[in-house]
């Protein structure tokens, strides 16, 4: 297969544009994090996790740490999806061994003030744009810089319920009792996310990923209005200002049919790619989605904890399935865990870069 005609363009960008390339690029969700001793040392300087995310020098260091160890094709900016609720006036605390706790949205009178917080968001999250600029300046042109945001539905999960992993009773109750309020909140999030992603792109991000980690918790009868349409609107907003910039959507735990409907929606810009959770069958995705949309994923992060051999077998299988067709990016189906063995990452990156289509 031909090598990309623009050698300085990041390999990740060529893959997202579904150009023929010699081998798929690789980056890993949560590639910066607690499995790296150098991350834990840096983190120890910041009792407050959000403050860490909003300190450009420290965040740039954390962003670059995995790229200093591994030959990855992209850096993902070190920040968190919860920076948006934080910037809109719902501060986030990270409690050790418990995860994030957002100052919850509890009554409808809190909606109107949120609508007037976009200028605050631009000011409070300006350090993230600075991290993008510093990261871009530190890396050679062939490595991509990815910006990211949470999606409206997932951010509402955290704004209304403390632990979405244990269910979203408050969100579901409000959706029953005041569906218009949930739509209004979703609109606020669409504006906030668009603004935040535009800031990251203006600062030099190659592409952006939108994490809808809890999309699978959305009731089927609300899927169109709370997940599908808001994601389409954000992608359209980005395409209007950055027509050639890819956007990667990660609607985790969505049904295969919902994913297919979204991918086939003619109003979704052609620059949109899909990151696949571990729940998705890669053979299906490669046959069904990959002819028209780039796909990314979906290695089980559990394999990064165990022995080398099962990882190698699973990666060979993935590469042989999706690697021969343009539009494939190697990644996990969810983030690296703190238990990850750093040696497994070395082996994975080497294997991907050595692979060629038969
Ligand atoms: O390397 C990267 O991927 C970039 C940075 C990044 C972080 N969080 C840093 C982080 C990214 C892209 C995220 C996204 C994120 N944050 C998501 C979407 C992806 C997913 O996992 O589904 C979600 C749901 C969050 C919210 C969040 N942040 C949770 C639930 C937690 C606690 C769980 C945990 O692992 O501790 C975090 C904390 C967090 N975000 C850490 C890191 C490195 C660990 C915090 C620490 O150092 O103590």
């Amino acid at each position: 297969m031909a090598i990309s005609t623009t050698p300085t363009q990041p390999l990740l960008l060529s893959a997202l544009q579904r150009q023929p390339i010699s081998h798929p690029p690789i980056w890993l969700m949560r590639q910066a994090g607690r499995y790296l001793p150098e991350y834990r040392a840096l983190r120890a300087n910041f009792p407050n996790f959000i403050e860490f995310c909003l300190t450009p020098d420290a965040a740039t260091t954390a962003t670059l740490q995995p790229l200093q160890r591994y030959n990855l094709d992209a850096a993902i900016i070190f920040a968190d999806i919860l920076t948006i609720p934080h910037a809109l006036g719902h501060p986030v605390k990270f409690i050790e061994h418990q995860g994030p706790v957002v100052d919850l949205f509890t009554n409808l009178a809190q909606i109107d003030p949120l609508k007037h917080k976009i200028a605050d968001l631009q000011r409070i999250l300006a350090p993230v744009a600075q991290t993008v600029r510093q990261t871009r300046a530190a890396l050679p042109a062939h490595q991509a810089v990815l910006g990211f945001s949470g999606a409206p539905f997932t951010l509402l999960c955290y704004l209304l319920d403390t632990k979405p992993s244990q269910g979203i009773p408050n969100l579901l109750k409000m959706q029953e009792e005041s569906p218009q309020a949930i739509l209004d909140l979703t609109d606020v999030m669409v504006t906030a996310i668009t603004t935040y992603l535009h800031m990251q792109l203006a600062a030099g991000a190659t592409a952006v990923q939108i994490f809808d980690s809890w999309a699978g918790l959305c009731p089927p009868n609300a899927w169109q209005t709370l997940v599908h349409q808001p994601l389409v609107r954000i992608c359209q907003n980005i395409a209007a200002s950055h027509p050639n910039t890819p956007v990667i959507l990660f609607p985790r735990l969505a049904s295969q049919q919902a994913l297919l409907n979204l991918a086939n929606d003619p109003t979704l810009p052609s620059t949109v790619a899909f990151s696949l959770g571990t729940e998705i069958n890669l053979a299906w995705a490669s046959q069904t989605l990959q002819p028209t949309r780039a796909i990314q994923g979906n290695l089980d992060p559990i394999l990064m904890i165990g022995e080398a051999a099962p990882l190698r077998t699973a990666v060979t299988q993935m590469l042989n399935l999706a690697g021969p067709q343009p539009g494939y990016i190697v990644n996990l189906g969810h983030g690296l865990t703190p238990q990850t063995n750093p040696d497994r990452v070395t082996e994975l990156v080497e294997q991907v870069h050595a692979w060629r289509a038969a």
Side-chain angles (χ1 to χ4, degrees):
M1 224 177 244
I3 304 290
S4 166
T5 46
T6 39
T8 52
Q9 161 158 327
L11 192 67
L12 178 76
L13 188 54
S14 303
L16 287 168
Q17 293 169 339
R18 301 183 53 262
Q19 294 180 26
I21 45 178
S22 58
H23 63 277
I26 174 167
W27 69 277
L28 302 170
M29 292 190 264
R30 287 280 179 94
Q31 62 192 28
R34 284 165 294 180
Y35 76 105
L36 293 176
E38 60 271 33
Y39 172 84
R40 294 196 298 271
L42 182 64
R43 172 80 167 90
N45 303 325
F46 291 90
N48 179 330
F49 180 74
I50 292 287
E51 194 185 310
F52 178 20
C53 293
L54 298 181
T55 304
D57 286 349
T60 304
T61 302
T63 302
L64 295 172
Q65 281 175 342
L67 284 93
Q68 273 146 6
R69 271 186 185 245
Y70 311 116
N71 184 20
L72 292 158
D73 293 295
I76 179 156
I77 290 306
F78 187 82
D80 199 86
I81 64 165
L82 300 176
T83 52
I84 285 186
H86 177 83
L88 295 178
H90 287 263
V92 184
K93 286 199 198 77
F94 277 78
I95 299 171
E96 211 169 336
H97 307 302
Q98 222 204 297
V101 179
V102 179
D103 190 358
L104 290 184
F105 178 96
T106 50
N107 71 74
L108 300 188
Q110 288 171 298
I111 296 181
D112 258 351
L114 281 175
K115 294 181 184 161
H116 305 290
K117 292 274 167 77
I118 296 299
D120 286 3
L121 179 141
Q122 285 174 308
R123 175 176 48 79
I124 294 170
L125 300 186
V128 176
Q130 180 58 19
T131 303
V132 174
R133 271 188 290 277
Q134 293 183 189
T135 302
R136 184 62 282 171
L139 288 175
H142 73 272
Q143 283 172 316
V145 175
L146 283 174
F148 74 92
S149 168
F153 185 77
T154 289
L155 292 182
L156 286 198
C157 287
Y158 283 102
L159 198 59
L160 290 160
D161 286 280
T162 307
K163 268 187 169 283
S165 57
Q166 291 170 8
I168 48 168
N170 297 338
L171 193 157
L172 296 178
K173 184 159 177 272
M174 196 183 290
Q175 170 65 11
E176 275 292 308
E177 291 172 359
S178 353
Q180 188 57 44
I182 296 285
L183 282 182
D184 290 349
L185 278 173
T186 299
D187 279 350
V188 171
M189 292 301 154
V190 168
T191 306
I193 292 161
T194 300
T195 305
Y196 186 40
L197 292 177
H198 274 147
M199 287 166 65
Q200 297 178 48
L201 290 169
T206 314
V208 291
Q209 174 151 327
I210 302 175
F211 289 89
D212 215 346
S213 304
W214 297 111
L217 297 182
C218 182
N221 66 2
W223 175 269
Q224 280 304 113
T225 50
L226 301 187
V227 176
H228 184 120
Q229 285 160 12
L231 290 175
V232 171
R233 279 162 62 203
I234 295 167
C235 293
Q236 287 174 340
N237 291 343
I238 303 235
S241 58
H242 294 77
N244 301 315
T245 298
V247 177
I248 309 166
L249 297 181
F250 182 38
R252 195 170 70 94
L253 303 173
S255 75
Q256 215 157 269
Q257 189 56 50
L259 191 62
L260 190 60
N261 290 346
L262 185 55
N264 288 343
D265 185 335
T267 67
L268 188 71
S270 60
T271 43
V272 175
F274 283 86
S275 199
L276 309 171
T278 43
E279 72 281 0
I280 298 295
N281 179 313
L282 188 64
W284 170 82
S286 181
Q287 276 170 19
T288 315
L289 305 178
Q290 201 179 346
T292 51
R293 305 261 180 203
I295 59 171
Q296 168 178 283
N298 64 343
L299 189 67
D300 193 331
I302 288 280
L303 292 164
M304 307 305 290
I305 301 172
E307 300 296 317
L311 171 64
R312 170 161 283 275
T313 307
V315 174
T316 302
Q317 214 179 0
M318 272 179 36
L319 286 167
N320 289 341
L321 265 176
Q325 225 190 119
Y328 181 55
I329 297 127
V330 177
N331 205 318
L332 305 170
H334 201 189
L336 278 174
T337 64
Q339 294 77 33
T340 295
N341 179 343
D343 294 341
R344 294 295 91 84
V345 181
T346 309
E347 295 149 10
L348 168 62
V349 174
E350 281 173 7
Q351 185 182 351
V352 171
H353 283 152
W355 182 86
R356 295 294 179 273

